[in-house]
Amino acid sequence: MIYSLFEIILYVSNQEKSKSFYSAILKQEPSLHVPGMTEFTLSDNFKLGLMPEIGIAKIISPVMPQPISANGIPRCELYLVSEQIEELFELAIELGAKKVSAIQPRDWGDTVGYVADFDGNIIAFAKKGQVI
């Protein structure tokens, strides 16, 4: 394997609010939480990061548009596989996520429900190859 670590970083408008939301739905506290970056270690070689939009804008502007200009527009999908998707789906909505699509069997064989976080990032709660 060429890479020893994979990290997906979501650009967020409010780091603290997003930290609390993701801590709750991931059922864990961050492995790193400092001004400008929050990380959740999801496995030995995979992390999910949360970075404020204004922080990344300092790095990528003026070459790229500022992420704040796309706030609320889906920019990615986080596909979370669990046996407890009903509980996690409802928890996300209770915490302020927007319901996008109800939990239901999908064409590819998984049962999945979709929500959007505060910044429009899509979160899929999925059961592999199971119908509920």
Side-chain angles (χ1 to χ4, degrees):
M1 180 185 310
I2 293 176
Y3 302 102
S4 59
L5 177 68
F6 300 91
E7 183 165 4
I8 304 273
I9 299 172
L10 304 179
Y11 304 143
V12 298
S13 58
N14 184 317
Q15 183 180 353
E16 291 301 316
K17 185 176 179 181
S18 292
K19 176 199 111 23
S20 296
F21 176 80
Y22 281 95
S23 291
I25 67 166
L26 295 172
K27 303 285 186 183
Q28 69 178 66
E29 291 301 312
S31 50
L32 173 73
H33 182 60
V34 296
M37 179 58 77
T38 299
E39 293 179 343
F40 295 90
T41 302
L42 302 179
S43 72
D44 290 341
N45 64 346
F46 182 74
K47 292 182 180 182
L48 175 66
L50 306 173
M51 177 183 271
E53 293 168 332
I54 58 171
I56 192 61
K58 292 176 188 175
I59 297 169
I60 64 173
S61 292
V63 175
M64 298 297 297
Q66 293 195 17
I68 196 167
S69 64
N71 193 281
I73 298 171
R75 298 180 268 189
C76 77
E77 178 180 313
L78 182 60
Y79 200 86
L80 302 173
V81 178
S82 174
E83 291 298 314
Q84 303 160 348
I85 63 171
E86 298 86 358
E87 170 192 332
L88 295 168
F89 184 83
E90 291 303 320
L91 175 61
I93 293 168
E94 288 171 19
L95 293 169
K98 181 178 183 177
K99 181 179 176 181
V100 174
S101 182
I103 296 171
Q104 58 186 296
R106 304 294 172 166
D107 294 345
W108 56 94
D110 292 354
T111 297
V112 189
Y114 292 86
V115 300
D117 73 6
F118 313 118
D119 299 295
N121 299 304
I122 301 299
I123 304 165
F125 295 102
K127 282 185 184 178
K128 283 300 213 181
Q130 297 180 12
V131 177
I132 56 171

